[in-house]
Amino acid sequence: MTVRVGIIGTGVMGADHAITLRDLVPGATVEAVSDVDPSRAASVGVRVVTDPLALIEDSDIDAVLIASSDATHEQFVLACLAAGKPALCEKPLAAEVAGCQRIVAAEADLGRRLLSVGFMRRYDPGYVALKHTLDAGDLGAPLLLHCVHRNVSAPDWFTSDMVITNSASHEIDTTRWLFGDEIAAVTVHEPRRSAALADPVLLVFETVPGVLVDAEVFVNARYGYDVRCELVGERGLASASGPVTADWRDRFAEAYRLELTDWVDGVQAGEARGASAWDGYVASAVARAGVAALGAGRIAVELPAKPALYK
Ligand code: ISE
C-alpha cells in the first residue's frame, strides 16, 4: 500500500520533508499540505487543505507529518490520536512539558502507539555506527561523551531557554538513545556572555549509571553547522562526525531520508518506529530541568513511572 501523507507546516522542515518523501522514500506520496501561509502551502505543488484539522480527518490521508510551529504541535498530535492516524511530529512533541504529558496519557489510554518524534540523529549513519560500536562492547563500559552542537545563527525569536529546549534537546535524546539510560541530573554553565542570550552554553548530564555527558551548544557560531561527538570508554574511543554545512538539512539529509523511510515502512507494517511520545516527553522534561539549572547549579531530574505501552 502507498502511504498517503498529509503535511502540516510547510516551512523549512515541512518543505524539506515534502521533497524527501516525494523523491527518496519508496511507498509514500505527499497527498496534501496545510500551512498558516496559503502561498507557502501552494508552493509545495500538491492539494492544499486550509484547515489542518480537516487534513487530519481527510479520508485520503493515511498518516500525518507535523512540522508546524512548536506551539501548535500538541493540538495536532492529539487530533491524530483521536482520528487513529499515525503521526510523525517534529521535536518538540509539545511546547511545554505538561503538553507532552497530556499526549503520553492520551496515547497510553488508546493502548497502541501511533506517534513518532523527529529526533533524526537516531538515524544518522555516524551516530548509528557509534552506537553499534558501543553495543558490541569494543569500547568497554562508557565513561564520558563529549558533544559539540553549533549552528551558524539563531533566528531573532530564539531565547536563552530555547538554546536548551530547542537545540540541546538533540543531545538529551542522543544521550538517552545511545546509552539506553535516563539522565538523572543536569548542570548548565555559561561562559562570559558575548550575546544577548545565553549562548554558548555548556551542559553536563549525569546518566543514572554515572556516565558524564558534556555538550557545548552554540547557536550563533557563525562559521558553520557543526555537530559531532566523541565517546570515551574504559577501553577505547569512538566518534561520530559529519561535514560542516550551512544548516541541519545538509548535515542530516541522509538521517532525514532514513527516518522518513522507516516511518513510512512502519506505517505500512502498523508499527510506530523511532523516538516515541515517551521519548519526546522525557526530552522536554530534561530540557526543562536544564533551563532551571541555568545559573542555578545542579538540578535533579524526576520522572514518573513509564507507562506499560512504552516498555
Ligand atoms: C533546530 O530546530 C534543529 O532541530 C536543529 O537540528 C538544531 O541544530 C537547531 O539548533 C534547532 O534550532
Side-chain angles (χ1 to χ4, degrees), residues 119-125 128 254-255 258-259 262 273-274:
F119 281 119
M120 76 297 190
R121 286 198 204 165
R122 292 178 178 225
Y123 292 91
D124 177 72
V128 170
E254 181 63 357
L258 293 167
E259 174 189 64
D262 197 39
R273 307 223 179 125

Side-chain angles (χ1 to χ4, degrees), residues 91 120 149 151 158 166-167 170 225 248:
K91 57 93 211 162
M120 76 297 190
H149 180 172
N151 292 194
F158 228 69
N166 188 295
S167 300
H170 285 291
Y225 186 73
W248 50 87

Side-chain angles (χ1 to χ4, degrees), residues 213-289:
V213 178
D214 60 85
E216 176 204 312
V217 180
F218 190 8
V219 298
N220 287 296
R222 305 294 167 193
Y223 72 92
Y225 186 73
D226 191 4
V227 171
R228 50 198 154 86
C229 68
E230 182 186 65
L231 178 68
V232 181
E234 281 176 335
R235 289 202 304 271
L237 293 183
S239 58
S241 60
V244 175
T245 56
D247 70 23
W248 50 87
R249 286 170 296 178
D250 290 336
R251 168 67 177 86
F252 288 109
E254 181 63 357
Y256 288 126
R257 183 185 73 76
L258 293 167
E259 174 189 64
L260 291 174
T261 301
D262 197 39
W263 178 57
V264 166
D265 288 351
V267 171
Q268 286 171 333
E271 294 166 8
R273 307 223 179 125
S276 67
W278 174 257
D279 296 318
Y281 156 69
V282 177
S284 291
V286 175
R288 205 26 74 187

Side-chain angles (χ1 to χ4, degrees), residues 80-85 104-114 309:
C80 289
L81 288 177
K85 298 244 169 123
V104 164
E107 196 178 38
D109 280 352
L110 191 68
R112 66 191 169 112
R113 278 193 55 201
L114 287 176
L309 182 65

Side-chain angles (χ1 to χ4, degrees), residues 145-161:
L145 181 72
H146 304 295
C147 309
V148 169
H149 180 172
R150 301 193 184 118
N151 292 194
V152 174
S153 61
D156 54 10
W157 41 264
F158 228 69
T159 63
S160 294
D161 287 8

Side-chain angles (χ1 to χ4, degrees), residues 181-185 206-211:
D181 290 311
E182 293 300 354
I183 293 171
E206 299 165 42
T207 71
V208 170
V211 174

Side-chain angles (χ1 to χ4, degrees), residues 37-214:
D37 176 348
S39 62
R40 198 164 68 169
S43 67
V44 176
V46 300
R47 179 161 65 96
V48 174
V49 178
T50 310
D51 177 2
L53 296 173
L55 178 138
I56 292 169
E57 296 287 340
D58 193 310
S59 58
D60 286 334
I61 298 292
D62 302 310
V64 181
L65 197 160
I66 301 167
S68 48
S69 60
D70 297 0
T72 64
H73 288 184
E74 180 184 355
Q75 181 196 12
F76 299 147
V77 168
L78 290 174
C80 289
L81 288 177
K85 298 244 169 123
L88 170 62
C89 182
E90 272 301 332
K91 57 93 211 162
L93 177 60
E96 299 296 335
V97 179
C100 296
Q101 275 170 318
R102 286 189 284 271
I103 291 168
V104 164
E107 196 178 38
D109 280 352
L110 191 68
R112 66 191 169 112
R113 278 193 55 201
L114 287 176
L115 305 176
S116 306
V117 181
F119 281 119
M120 76 297 190
R121 286 198 204 165
R122 292 178 178 225
Y123 292 91
D124 177 72
Y127 279 77
V128 170
L130 175 63
K131 182 163 172 56
H132 283 157
T133 306
L134 175 66
D135 291 348
D138 302 351
L139 307 175
L143 300 171
L144 298 165
L145 181 72
H146 304 295
C147 309
V148 169
H149 180 172
R150 301 193 184 118
N151 292 194
V152 174
S153 61
D156 54 10
W157 41 264
F158 228 69
T159 63
S160 294
D161 287 8
M162 290 176 84
V163 175
I164 300 173
T165 59
N166 188 295
S167 300
S169 62
H170 285 291
E171 276 67 31
I172 294 169
D173 185 67
T174 298
T175 298
R176 299 181 60 249
W177 165 77
L178 196 57
F179 300 121
D181 290 311
E182 293 300 354
I183 293 171
V186 189
T187 312
V188 182
H189 301 274
E190 198 193 342
R192 176 181 61 79
R193 268 207 188 187
S194 59
L197 75 171
D199 181 49
V201 291
L202 185 66
L203 302 106
V204 179
F205 306 129
E206 299 165 42
T207 71
V208 170
V211 174
L212 284 186
V213 178
D214 60 85

